[in-house]
Amino acid sequence: MTKSVNLYLASGVFKGVGFWVVNFTEEENIFNSLGSKLLECYRKELFGLDGAIEVKGAINTTLDILCLDSKYDQYKLDNYNTGYSSEIPINTIEDIFDLWAYNYSNPTLWKKYIGLLNLRKKIKTNNNYINIGLKGDTYEFAMKLDGLLSFKPINSSSRKDRSNELMW
């Protein structure tokens, strides 16, 4: 049996810049894991070490895809060395965390869901032709994942290319 760790979602500040971080620690108090950089913990789940590594990888891959897709849409969501942009709303981050943490308990579905995530990572855009061939739990999961990855920042000032926008 592997040792138990706490997988957590927290917000923090480093050099005046806010960020989100998903990580795990053996300590009960997660605020000791990154020093004084963490401000608030939003999710904390107990996993075995192997499970925490897998779930953290899935969550971080999903967030990487979200940030990459926003870059393709000419929105700036920077990944920082310590975590992800604080411009991503808490409800989106929590939903991604919950989606992966909840679905880890079923090994058969987990393999299918990781396969979908890896395919989504390679394709780089939402492709409904893939979803047409899915059914049941896998189809529902793919639709949830696409819904979470469809987030776009509301503030249009974060767009990189504003040359085509109207002045008034």
Side-chain angles (χ1 to χ4, degrees), residues 46-105:
L46 189 63
F47 279 93
L49 181 60
D50 295 337
I53 291 170
E54 287 185 54
V55 173
K56 176 188 171 193
I59 294 168
N60 286 338
T61 300
T62 305
L63 291 170
D64 289 341
I65 294 169
L66 179 73
C67 292
L68 187 62
D69 285 356
S70 70
K71 189 182 291 185
Y72 285 138
D73 292 336
Q74 298 181 349
Y75 289 96
K76 184 180 177 186
L77 285 177
D78 292 327
N79 290 355
Y80 304 111
N81 290 336
T82 50
Y84 294 93
S85 173
S86 61
E87 293 179 27
I88 302 171
I90 181 63
N91 61 340
T92 301
I93 297 268
E94 286 177 329
D95 289 347
I96 291 170
F97 185 97
D98 293 343
L99 179 72
W100 290 108
Y102 173 76
N103 285 303
Y104 184 73
S105 60

Side-chain angles (χ1 to χ4, degrees), residues 15-147:
K15 295 184 180 180
V17 178
F19 64 90
W20 298 110
V21 66
V22 175
N23 207 347
F24 57 87
T25 182
E26 291 181 39
E27 299 180 30
E28 186 63 32
N29 183 2
I30 64 118
F31 296 104
N32 295 335
S33 65
L34 283 179
S36 62
K37 296 176 189 172
L38 296 181
L39 297 175
E40 194 167 349
C41 179
Y42 291 91
R43 293 285 193 270
K44 185 169 102 171
E45 297 288 332
L46 189 63
F47 279 93
L49 181 60
D50 295 337
I53 291 170
E54 287 185 54
V55 173
K56 176 188 171 193
I59 294 168
N60 286 338
T61 300
T62 305
L63 291 170
D64 289 341
I65 294 169
L66 179 73
C67 292
L68 187 62
D69 285 356
S70 70
K71 189 182 291 185
Y72 285 138
D73 292 336
Q74 298 181 349
Y75 289 96
K76 184 180 177 186
L77 285 177
D78 292 327
N79 290 355
Y80 304 111
N81 290 336
T82 50
Y84 294 93
S85 173
S86 61
E87 293 179 27
I88 302 171
I90 181 63
N91 61 340
T92 301
I93 297 268
E94 286 177 329
D95 289 347
I96 291 170
F97 185 97
D98 293 343
L99 179 72
W100 290 108
Y102 173 76
N103 285 303
Y104 184 73
S105 60
N106 186 333
T108 305
L109 289 177
W110 178 258
K111 288 180 183 178
K112 291 179 183 181
Y113 297 163
I114 290 295
L116 279 173
L117 182 65
N118 290 332
L119 184 63
R120 180 63 170 84
K121 186 167 93 175
K122 289 177 184 175
I123 292 179
K124 307 256 191 276
T125 58
N126 185 1
N127 189 340
N128 287 329
Y129 294 112
I130 294 169
N131 295 343
I132 291 172
L134 302 175
K135 59 184 175 180
D137 292 333
T138 310
Y139 175 78
E140 290 175 22
F141 180 84
M143 297 310 294
K144 286 179 189 175
L145 184 62
D146 286 344

